[in-house]
Amino acid sequence: MKYLLFILTLSFSFSVNAQTLTWSAEFPVTGGSSYNNVRPRIALTTGNTPIIMWGDDVNNVVYTAKWNGSGFTAPLKIHSDSIDVFTSYWAGPEFEAAGDTVFIGLKVLPEADNGVYSVRSTDGGVTFDDTVRIDNIGDSLARFPTVAIADGGNPVFSYMKFDPNWMDAQYTVVESMDGGDTFEKDVEAGLLVTGEACDCCPAAIKAEGQRHVLMFRNNDNNLREMWFAYSDDEGMTFTGSGNVDTTDWIIFSCPSSGPDFIFSGNTIHSTWMSSGDGGASKVYVGTYDIGTSQILYHNTISSVMPVANYQNYSRMDGEPGMLGVVLQHTNFGNTDVLFASSLAGTAGLVDNFDTVNISTTGSQQSPDIAYADGTFHIVWQDQETGDVIYRSATDSSFVPDTSGNNPNSVLNPLGSVPGMQVSISPNPFNDFTTLIIKRKNIGFYSVDIFDASGKIVRRYSNQKSNELTIKRGELPGGMYFYKLNGSEYIASGKFVISE
């Protein structure tokens, strides 16, 4: 998406958390309200090209549009006229892309008579195949499909499964071994979690290597908290689980709001909505370590919530060293889309906001986010114009490593200071590593070390050498982040201490 930044005539910058983000202009996706646009979703195809999906909740239709270099293509209906698809502002189709492969999960109406289906594109969303049924579950009922794409391009779907009377809601996972032509038998993911799935709350699923992780809102006698379940054998069995949410929210009706998350190795970063403190609905962020079964961080994304303010529908994307969250925030009846980003884990997201929508007239809602190579791609529904709107934010401190040898994905001086290079080696390490700074007139600098939750665990002040030795000392094994601050430059990256 670098080419996008060159063609824009209108851009904005702001500085947060030692980051400089360059914003694109707003781009309308649908050209008005004629498609009854609700709950847009965004994914990235080959070349980090955005593809956007949304629903028409009047005619029960799903559309996509793709970036063409200067705007978006005409809306494309992705299913046949013979089916109606459930879509709403709070739930609906989900999709994922890997290269030019795109998978969409649909719930076909009427709910009691139809199942959940996959729709596939292998040309980046230019065309879509016919629907393929996902749920081979006899007389059971299904809704809320969501999808990830595993290594090798095979789709992994999760959906909520009920008995024939719409009772005993459970999230199950089903995989395809042939690129989405057929699907295996479903596997119940939440067997280790007491209670049942919150029956009108969507879930999220991610896949990385052998590990697949599902996150959902659980309902244990009306205690409705966020849990995850994971599989280390590509979804064949789910043998671990954990509670990321300690808000103790007891509510006797379904809140119709689910979680979102990313994970890398044993570290899960997540976001969700809760009113567990008895006040207005708030968005939370947190970090969980699967290896130690511990919550490393847990907090509201806003430290103070004024009267007549509330939040919902948060979404997350990024990587461990670069997190972004979008959410819907209402202030005295006016609803905006807020964005928070962090180079230092979920703790760095708190109060680190910018308003995404330029126009503050009317309600802006149902945001989504996708991330790649230092750029966050954001989409939302503009209730004032009825359009779907797209905007991107690029962190200028990000430079992708093209050598294939550097494990640091966020590594560059702020503002691309010429003649400077930063590296850390060895990485991973056991006893010590060396941070190497190549720049003339390096001056004094400091280095902060953060754990996976964003907590500062070590600080090196008043440094001047171009090499800094970082000793393991008392630090446990796991992923860490560093932030180097000089008078004229800043850099950040990550490293791993061996277990």
Side-chain angles (χ1 to χ4, degrees), residues 292-319:
T292 61
S293 299
Q294 291 183 335
I295 293 176
L296 303 180
Y297 187 78
H298 181 288
N299 205 350
T300 55
I301 201 168
S302 297
S303 59
V304 177
M305 183 71 73
V307 175
N309 280 242
Y310 56 92
Q311 299 168 335
N312 206 344
Y313 305 122
S314 57
R315 301 282 289 178
M316 173 183 283
D317 205 2
E319 57 183 349

Side-chain angles (χ1 to χ4, degrees), residues 26 32 65 67 74 120 176 185 193 219 222 234 260 285 300 418 451 458 467:
E26 293 183 352
W67 179 257
R120 175 183 62 189
S176 172
K185 179 177 173 54
V193 182
N219 177 8
N222 295 311
E234 296 185 317
D260 201 12
V285 292
T300 55
D451 64 15
R458 189 175 296 170
E467 293 189 4

Side-chain angles (χ1 to χ4, degrees), residues 443-459:
F444 286 98
Y445 64 89
S446 64
V447 175
D448 291 332
I449 307 296
F450 302 82
D451 64 15
S453 72
K455 176 184 176 182
I456 296 178
V457 295
R458 189 175 296 170
R459 174 169 289 162

Side-chain angles (χ1 to χ4, degrees), residues 53-355:
M53 176 187 69
W54 68 94
D56 176 343
D57 62 345
V58 175
N59 298 299
N60 301 318
V61 175
V62 178
Y63 296 95
T64 60
K66 189 173 182 179
W67 179 257
N68 63 14
S70 59
F72 287 87
T73 58
L76 172 68
K77 184 177 179 180
I78 58 94
H79 55 85
S80 71
D81 294 335
S82 63
I83 63 173
D84 291 332
V85 177
F86 167 75
T87 183
S88 180
Y89 71 92
W90 58 274
E94 299 285 358
F95 80 147
E96 184 61 276
D100 279 335
T101 299
V102 181
F103 283 99
I104 301 176
L106 309 173
K107 169 62 184 177
V108 175
L109 300 173
E111 274 205 291
D113 299 328
N114 293 282
V116 289
Y117 291 79
S118 167
V119 180
R120 175 183 62 189
S121 171
T122 57
D123 56 13
V126 177
T127 61
F128 284 87
D129 298 337
D130 200 0
T131 52
V132 175
R133 187 152 184 172
I134 302 167
D135 58 323
N136 301 303
I137 54 176
D139 62 353
S140 296
L141 303 168
R143 59 164 43 157
F144 300 154
T146 186
V147 62
I149 299 179
D151 294 349
N154 286 320
V156 183
F157 280 91
S158 176
Y159 58 87
M160 189 181 290
K161 179 180 176 181
F162 300 82
D163 69 19
N165 297 311
W166 290 106
M167 302 293 288
D168 190 27
Q170 303 292 340
Y171 266 106
T172 65
V173 174
V174 61
E175 304 206 28
S176 172
M177 302 300 179
D178 54 14
D181 290 335
T182 61
F183 288 87
E184 305 292 312
K185 179 177 173 54
D186 65 296
V187 175
E188 188 171 332
L191 286 172
L192 299 178
V193 182
T194 303
E196 63 180 27
C198 189
D199 63 4
C200 58
C201 293
I205 189 168
K206 313 288 181 181
E208 180 183 278
Q210 296 284 318
R211 177 164 287 178
H212 296 175
V213 181
L214 173 73
M215 188 171 289
F216 58 96
R217 189 185 296 275
N218 191 55
N219 177 8
D220 183 11
N221 292 318
N222 295 311
L223 175 64
R224 301 180 191 252
E225 294 180 325
M226 297 302 177
W227 282 74
F228 71 89
Y230 69 90
S231 166
D232 281 332
D233 55 13
E234 296 185 317
M236 295 178 63
T237 59
F238 282 78
T239 56
S241 63
N243 180 8
V244 304
D245 173 10
T246 61
T247 58
D248 295 328
W249 190 19
I250 295 178
I251 179 174
F252 295 95
S253 60
C254 184
S256 302
S257 180
D260 201 12
F261 72 102
I262 68 168
F263 83 94
S264 179
N266 283 333
T267 303
I268 298 176
H269 300 293
S270 58
T271 182
W272 67 95
M273 181 277 290
S274 177
S275 295
D277 63 357
S281 62
K282 303 177 183 67
V283 165
Y284 285 75
V285 292
T287 300
Y288 189 99
D289 184 82
I290 295 175
T292 61
S293 299
Q294 291 183 335
I295 293 176
L296 303 180
Y297 187 78
H298 181 288
N299 205 350
T300 55
I301 201 168
S302 297
S303 59
V304 177
M305 183 71 73
V307 175
N309 280 242
Y310 56 92
Q311 299 168 335
N312 206 344
Y313 305 122
S314 57
R315 301 282 289 178
M316 173 183 283
D317 205 2
E319 57 183 349
M322 176 76 80
L323 295 178
V325 169
V326 289
L327 60 112
Q328 180 178 308
H329 182 103
T330 299
N331 176 13
F332 285 95
N334 187 69
T335 302
D336 293 311
V337 173
L338 301 186
F339 169 70
S341 64
S342 171
L343 297 174
T346 47
L349 295 166
V350 175
D351 293 334
N352 194 16
F353 292 122
D354 192 69
T355 303

